[in-house]
């Protein structure tokens, strides 16, 4: 006798992916095997889990960015930078590359000092 078909709340799955949960964790919360979950994603959305999860994770980053922007505009505070640095790839500093040459000139007096 086959197991009953699993009912999945896809809105909940979308929200978990937007929060950057991985497929194994979501499958665990749904009490199904990860491969079963991946197959159900392919069946429902006609794409692989990686493509589906990347789209939802990008949506999650966008939602947080909008929320941070709204907080900054309305309240003047930004308190979720840690999340963006770790999940959205934001960084504190920029690396600037220079492709031109650098010429150093010294006076002869300065060189002997």
């Amino acid at each position: 006798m086959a197991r009953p078909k699993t009912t999945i709340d896809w809105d909940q799955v979308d929200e978990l992916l937007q929060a950057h949960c991985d497929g194994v964790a979501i499958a665990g919360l749904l009490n199904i095997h990860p491969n079963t979950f991946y197959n159900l994603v392919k069946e429902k959305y006609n794409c692989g889990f990686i493509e589906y999860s990347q789209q939802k994770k990008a949506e999650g980053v966008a939602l947080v960015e909008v929320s941070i922007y709204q907080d900054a505009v309305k309240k003047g505070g930004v308190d979720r930078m840690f999340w963006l640095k770790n999940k959205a790839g934001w960084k504190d500093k920029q690396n600037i590359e220079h492709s031109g040459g650098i010429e150093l000139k010294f006076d002869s007096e300065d060189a002997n000092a």
Side-chain angles (χ1 to χ4, degrees):
M1 185 166 149
R3 288 184 160 191
K5 187 138 177 121
T6 302
T7 303
I8 294 179
D9 179 351
W10 290 103
D11 291 333
Q12 178 190 20
V13 170
D14 289 350
E15 192 172 318
L16 291 167
L17 285 169
Q18 289 171 344
H20 286 239
C21 293
D22 64 25
V24 173
I26 295 170
L29 291 170
L30 297 172
N31 202 27
I32 59 176
H33 191 276
N35 290 339
T36 302
F37 176 57
Y38 302 146
N39 290 336
L40 290 170
V41 168
K42 185 159 186 78
E43 199 176 286
K44 174 142 179 90
Y45 294 105
N46 199 27
C47 68
F49 174 75
I50 292 174
E51 181 181 349
Y52 170 67
S53 67
Q54 286 175 337
Q55 175 189 352
K56 295 303 170 185
K57 287 178 181 184
E59 289 173 8
V61 170
L63 290 170
V64 172
E65 289 174 330
V66 168
S67 176
I68 287 173
Y69 172 78
Q70 290 173 342
D71 281 352
V73 170
K74 293 178 184 174
K75 302 176 194 170
V78 178
D79 58 355
R80 291 173 267 188
M81 298 306 285
F82 178 79
W83 189 92
L84 284 168
K85 288 178 192 175
N86 286 280
K87 297 293 184 182
W90 286 22
K91 299 192 179 356
D92 282 333
K93 65 179 184 175
Q94 294 179 329
N95 292 329
I96 300 173
E97 295 184 24
H98 186 298
S99 61
I102 298 176
E103 184 178 332
L104 300 174
K105 294 184 180 183
F106 295 100
D107 289 340
S108 59
E109 289 179 21
D110 291 338
N112 293 330

